Amino acid sequence: MIETEQHKYTLLKDIWGYTTFRPSQSEIIDIVMNGGDALVIMPTGGGKSLCFQLPALLLPGLTVVVSPLISLMNDQVQSLKLSGVGVATINSNMNSKEMSAVERLLVIGEIKLLYVSPEKINSPGFSTFLAGLNVSLFAVDEAHCVSVWGNDFRPDYVQLNKIRDTFKHVPFIALTATADDATQKDICAQLHLHEPKIFVSSFERKNITTEARPAEQKFKQIVEFLIKVKDQSGIIYCLSRKETEKMCLKLRQSGYNCDFYHAGMEADDRKRVQMAFQNDSLQFICATIAFGMGIDKSNIRWIIHHSMPKNLEGYYQEIGRSGRDGTPARALLFYSYGDYIMLKRFIDDSPATEEFKNVQYAKLDRMWEFASANECRTNLVLNYFGEYRSEPCKHCDNCLFPPKSTDATVIAQKTLSAVIRCKENVGLNLLIDILRGSYRAEVRDGGYDQIKTFGAGKDISFINWKIYITQLINQGYLRIDFTDHFKLKTTPLTNEVLFSDKKVRLADLTIGEMVVEKEKPKQKKLSPEDGLLKRLKEWRTNLAREKKVPAYVIFSDKVFDNIVESRPSTIAGLLDVEGIGKVKSEQYGQDILAIVQGTNVPHPEIKNEKGNTYTETMLLYQEGMTPSEIAKKRELSETTIYTHLAYLYMKDEPIDMYKYVTDDEVNRVEDGWEKAGKEMALAAVADQLIAPMDFHKIRLALAVIIKKYKK
Ligand code: ADP
Ligand code: ZN
């Protein structure tokens, strides 16, 4: 057991490059390792895949992963392959030749993780084929698809319980990012899980900074935002297909490298855009919500909602596509009362039942409350999803830069009085026109130019009136009557303001800078001309092209940030960087060190396929192996290994030379070396020694001496 515990951490570092588990990961792994079933609810980017990938490497047999999204599968597979894990996929797009190649590898036990699509695993004969292999674990990703309560029900998924029944003694782990209570119960029941332990992590996405702003001068704000985020990847979500095209065109004219995406496009076009985005050849996409399903681009750094989504489920899912790699991301939402009215109309005009519509109305209201809130937005969302918390999140606009409030009693009095004088017979826009003293036909026809409050609010702009009145509605001083053409009506609180001298405070309206503008840039150890990050990314782009994988599969942005931060100069230092495991440092360590040092990266072709030979020796040395053990393992001569150690020592790697030579020996070699006229040839030095010494000792001693002299 203790051994497994240690092994868990060794693998975590070697393969993934991490030193600690995220909350519940370790516990979940233990359950699975002990043969138990588990249901894991963790937000996107929470680290679900590790919960089955790590046990897969610890368990003796094969782990079968069922996932409905081929692109998600491919990313995981490519990423594991790069880390040296035996992994394969089987899906319906493969031909029989490809299939039998995979099957052969499975039979000889070369594969530890097999990714299968649900239709494939349920296909005739597949279960029998699996029964002939030694299956140690089943993992069902996107498990909410098994439940009719979830959003993406897939009949294929329900069939998975047959597999569960066939492989009675193999543990099952089901994972998803979204499942309320009912869905959780349903998943356990549908998949026939055996007394599953359920893990529910917080839905909070701590690395996403959320912000909502009134949709005033939207385009200008978007451009200002884009200037701040530089060349980072992102998505602008628009409400309609036409809007995506319009937005894209305008931004292209402003010089941005973007495209649009919506369900009305030809399949080929959609694929092209998606691929270009995935490969970072497009900076961002203007899209309808059709874009995002199955996208697992982990370095999406920002999401803009050009207008308000229809509910918080959608909003949260959409912003959740950013920051999957755990690095900071931003979500910027624009909202206006116009959006609200339009979404309301969509519901009105839909053919759904009254009951269904009422649910949709209620959801829209919660979305509006969120958008116009002055308090912690994260808590509003978490509360909405049934996770109650009151301490501030510190990563939303309202927490980071709390809105100032001002005494708005007079504004409130003018508004409420106008509502009453108009006999609660006007909607928001008309009321504002009355307050601002407009003589348009509707105002005159209603005789509203005759009331006492007509023109009482000329000094406040139309949009600011809208925002004030929205706040009054949110605070309960007014309400919108949805059953009566959205007219504004009084509430029991109205009279307190008008007749009991109640003070009203509203958020200050001067729309200040966006969070991205207000934030002080983090103090990074960067010199002004520093191009390290850029050079690392260029190297990654080239390698990604060569390997035909998305760039972020090789190293995430976060890993690069860590490298820039710590600037490792040795392999040992590189291994201390979070996110760099043994396998990758073996493959790419020398390249990265060269980039950090500003020297040229050797051309890929002239490099040893297996990575750098010095690095390999270094890694084995770090595992505590002796030179002779390393030589045996690497099928090299011991002399070669000593040469490696001397080289690594000279390169400042933490090699303890005094394990192999004593102080006295070094002194003797130094004498001989000086007598030999500081000649580096081993034989020449050996000739000058008072007593014979092994050549490898002379070699190591010389390294110590030269380094000392260099200093
Ligand atoms: P999910 O499947 O839940 O959306 P992933 O499994 O893709 O999330 O993990 C999201 C990111 O978090 C990945 O970049 C992953 O490497 C990283 N990650 C996972 N576990 C850890 C950990 N223990 N320490 C640091 N990073 C981790
Ligand atoms: Zn907050």
Side-chain angles (χ1 to χ4, degrees):
M1 210 62 253
I2 295 169
E3 220 169 76
T4 313
E5 191 60 21
Q6 267 173 4
H7 205 166
K8 236 165 68 179
Y9 280 92
T10 315
L11 276 176
L12 184 67
K13 182 63 205 164
D14 286 358
I15 305 293
W16 286 272
Y18 303 135
T19 40
T20 51
F21 286 102
R22 294 233 180 107
S24 15
Q25 279 179 333
S26 180
E27 236 185 304
I28 295 166
I29 293 167
D30 291 344
I31 296 280
V32 173
M33 290 304 296
N34 289 324
D37 285 3
L39 171 61
V40 176
I41 323 283
M42 227 184 238
T44 309
K48 283 185 288 299
S49 37
L50 199 82
C51 301
F52 56 84
Q53 289 174 348
L54 199 142
L57 304 188
L58 282 172
L59 289 163
L62 175 72
T63 290
V64 179
V65 186
V66 186
S67 171
L69 302 170
I70 292 190
S71 66
L72 285 184
M73 250 199 248
N74 286 344
D75 274 1
Q76 289 196 14
V77 169
Q78 283 163 344
S79 169
L80 287 167
K81 266 192 189 152
L82 286 180
S83 296
V85 176
V87 47
T89 33
I90 293 188
N91 61 53
S92 320
N93 297 345
M94 291 162 69
N95 61 35
S96 58
K97 208 169 141 203
E98 290 167 328
M99 288 284 288
S100 34
V102 172
E103 283 170 11
R104 224 174 7 253
L105 289 174
L106 283 166
V107 172
I108 59 173
E110 285 284 302
I111 302 292
K112 289 303 289 176
L113 272 136
L114 176 67
Y115 283 76
V116 197
S117 59
E119 65 274 10
K120 193 70 216 174
I121 200 169
N122 294 323
S123 65
F126 200 77
S127 158
T128 321
F129 172 67
L130 285 180
L133 305 168
N134 174 21
V135 180
S136 289
L137 171 65
F138 283 96
V140 181
D141 212 354
E142 311 291 336
H144 59 279
C145 293
V146 79
S147 170
V148 283
W149 302 111
N151 276 335
D152 325 291
F153 175 62
R154 295 176 59 116
D156 269 339
Y157 253 57
V158 181
Q159 302 289 317
L160 290 173
N161 58 27
K162 295 207 181 104
I163 298 278
R164 208 289 152 268
D165 296 343
T166 312
F167 295 84
K168 275 195 187 62
H169 302 293
V170 180
F172 249 65
I173 175 171
L175 312 100
T176 174
T178 44
D180 56 16
D181 272 350
T183 315
Q184 286 171 28
K185 290 203 182 80
D186 206 28
I187 294 172
C188 297
Q190 294 294 342
L191 287 177
H192 298 181
L193 297 185
H194 298 169
E195 297 174 25
K197 181 120 188 352
I198 302 180
F199 295 85
V200 183
S201 305
S202 170
F203 272 91
E204 181 173 12
R205 294 288 309 275
K206 287 203 174 89
N207 59 329
I208 305 180
T209 304
T210 46
E211 177 170 18
R213 297 172 68 81
E216 209 182 343
Q217 295 187 299
K218 248 193 288 194
F219 190 73
K220 181 168 168 270
Q221 293 201 58
I222 289 176
V223 170
E224 276 160 8
F225 179 88
L226 290 176
I227 291 171
K228 285 285 175 183
V229 298
K230 299 217 175 76
D231 52 359
Q232 292 178 343
S233 233
I235 305 175
I236 302 181
Y237 277 113
C238 304
L239 211 55
S240 67
R241 295 172 182 185
K242 221 164 88 198
E243 191 66 56
T244 65
E245 297 185 14
K246 250 172 54 191
M247 194 69 208
C248 173
L249 193 69
K250 265 170 94 176
L251 285 165
R252 271 194 205 154
Q253 283 163 352
S254 306
Y256 285 98
N257 170 25
C258 57
D259 216 326
F260 60 87
Y261 183 105
H262 56 67
M265 289 156 63
E266 296 289 332
D268 279 353
D269 283 336
R270 275 185 310 195
K271 202 163 167 193
R272 175 183 51 78
V273 173
Q274 181 162 343
M275 283 306 290
F277 183 58
Q278 197 93 1
N279 297 335
D280 287 329
S281 15
L282 277 174
Q283 189 203 343
F284 60 88
I285 307 279
C286 305
T288 59
I289 52 171
F291 186 71
M293 281 294 290
I295 295 259
D296 183 35
K297 183 172 161 56
S298 69
N299 64 341
I300 298 176
R301 294 267 72 83
W302 54 267
I303 303 283
I304 291 178
H305 279 92
H306 184 258
S307 36
M308 198 175 75
K310 63 177 195 257
N311 55 40
L312 277 169
E313 281 93 340
Y315 169 76
Y316 208 58
Q317 192 167 38
E318 282 137 31
I319 70 164
R321 296 189 176 124
S322 68
R324 286 191 171 203
D325 53 9
T327 320
R330 303 177 179 280
L332 175 60
L333 162 72
F334 289 109
Y335 68 97
S336 74
Y337 197 70
D339 298 342
Y340 179 83
I341 298 288
M342 186 166 66
L343 291 165
K344 195 123 213 150
R345 295 246 159 85
F346 287 165
I347 304 173
D348 291 344
D349 298 344
S350 74
T353 61
E354 272 316 297
E355 198 187 346
F356 184 80
K357 282 186 182 178
N358 286 336
V359 174
Q360 305 309 310
Y361 289 131
K363 289 189 170 189
L364 177 58
D365 282 346
R366 299 296 296 274
M367 184 68 228
W368 176 254
E369 277 168 32
F370 170 87
S372 53
N374 293 321
E375 63 268 35
C376 176
R377 294 191 200 278
T378 308
N379 284 348
L380 269 169
V381 177
L382 293 182
N383 293 349
Y384 180 77
F385 289 121
E387 196 181 317
Y388 299 99
R389 191 183 69 169
S390 60
E391 74 267 26
C393 79
K394 302 205 180 72
H395 56 88
C396 74
D397 50 353
N398 291 337
C399 282
L400 290 169
F401 302 99
K404 293 191 196 81
S405 69
T406 48
D407 183 351
T409 311
V410 174
I411 290 173
Q413 285 167 346
K414 284 180 185 169
T415 312
L416 301 179
S417 145
V419 168
I420 292 173
R421 285 172 201 273
C422 295
K423 308 210 159 41
E424 301 180 284
N425 205 23
V426 299
L428 182 68
N429 288 342
L430 184 52
L431 184 80
I432 296 174
D433 281 340
I434 296 164
L435 284 163
R436 285 180 41 79
S438 156
Y439 281 104
R440 73 177 169 93
E442 214 182 340
V443 176
R444 275 183 290 136
D445 294 352
Y448 300 125
D449 52 347
Q450 302 303 319
I451 67 167
K452 203 176 156 214
T453 30
F454 176 76
K458 275 198 178 75
D459 52 327
I460 297 174
S461 73
F462 189 89
I463 180 80
N464 284 354
W465 265 119
K466 235 178 202 176
I467 300 167
Y468 278 135
I469 298 176
T470 303
Q471 291 186 50
L472 290 173
I473 296 167
N474 287 345
Q475 292 189 22
Y477 297 113
L478 274 178
R479 71 186 171 90
I480 298 171
D481 191 344
F482 299 119
T483 60
D484 184 14
H485 307 90
F486 306 103
K487 285 174 187 165
L488 294 170
K489 307 276 155 126
T490 56
T491 73
L493 296 183
T494 310
N495 284 351
E496 288 185 26
V497 179
L498 289 177
F499 308 115
S500 309
D501 208 23
K502 183 170 164 60
K503 293 269 172 270
V504 177
R505 293 194 73 82
L506 298 178
D508 184 2
L509 278 193
T510 36
I511 310 179
E513 295 175 306
M514 286 175 272
V515 170
V516 73
E517 294 172 293
K518 279 190 227 166
E519 275 172 350
K520 288 205 187 76
K522 283 207 187 80
Q523 285 294 320
K524 272 196 183 159
K525 285 181 251 161
L526 292 182
S527 59
E529 70 285 352
D530 198 305
L532 178 54
L533 193 62
K534 200 166 153 242
R535 293 203 304 278
L536 286 167
K537 285 190 174 167
E538 275 165 11
W539 168 81
R540 184 176 66 174
T541 308
N542 288 335
L543 192 66
R545 274 203 201 114
E546 192 185 301
K547 297 215 171 269
K548 298 195 174 62
V549 297
Y552 56 80
V553 167
I554 297 172
F555 280 117
S556 68
D557 290 2
K558 187 168 193 172
V559 170
F560 281 174
D561 284 347
N562 294 344
I563 292 175
V564 171
E565 188 97 347
S566 62
R567 291 173 180 273
S569 59
T570 61
I571 291 294
L574 197 65
L575 278 174
D576 281 342
V577 173
E578 162 127 333
I580 298 199
K582 219 167 81 183
V583 181
K584 283 194 178 166
S585 73
E586 205 169 296
Q587 304 256 16
Y588 311 120
Q590 293 296 338
D591 281 11
I592 291 176
L593 291 181
I595 296 168
V596 173
Q597 278 155 21
T599 47
N600 280 340
V601 179
H603 196 275
E605 276 154 38
I606 55 172
K607 264 190 330 189
N608 176 347
E609 232 323 278
K610 285 182 110 184
N612 187 287
T613 185
Y614 294 115
T615 312
E616 259 178 74
T617 297
M618 182 64 203
L619 294 169
L620 297 174
Y621 170 86
Q622 283 207 316
E623 279 180 18
M625 285 193 186
T626 64
S628 87
E629 284 166 348
I630 299 175
K632 207 176 276 166
K633 167 126 196 188
R634 298 207 49 204
E635 296 176 359
L636 294 171
S637 74
E638 225 175 302
T639 311
T640 306
I641 301 303
Y642 279 115
T643 315
H644 287 180
L645 292 175
Y647 171 86
L648 290 163
Y649 172 80
M650 298 286 289
K651 287 267 168 197
D652 287 335
E653 295 290 350
I655 305 274
D656 182 6
M657 295 299 240
Y658 292 102
K659 267 191 193 164
Y660 317 113
V661 282
T662 64
D663 238 351
D664 179 52
E665 284 165 337
V666 172
N667 287 337
R668 271 158 48 203
V669 171
E670 192 166 354
D671 283 345
W673 174 67
E674 282 186 350
K675 274 190 214 149
K678 301 198 173 172
E679 165 75 65
M680 287 302 290
L682 294 185
V685 177
D687 278 349
Q688 302 297 331
L689 294 182
I690 34 175
M693 197 186 294
D694 281 349
F695 264 41
H696 82 259
K697 289 199 178 217
I698 302 178
R699 189 186 306 276
L700 298 181
L702 278 174
V704 174
I705 295 159
I706 299 302
K707 197 163 162 185
K708 193 174 76 184
Y709 270 78
K710 274 196 173 163
K711 277 187 183 149

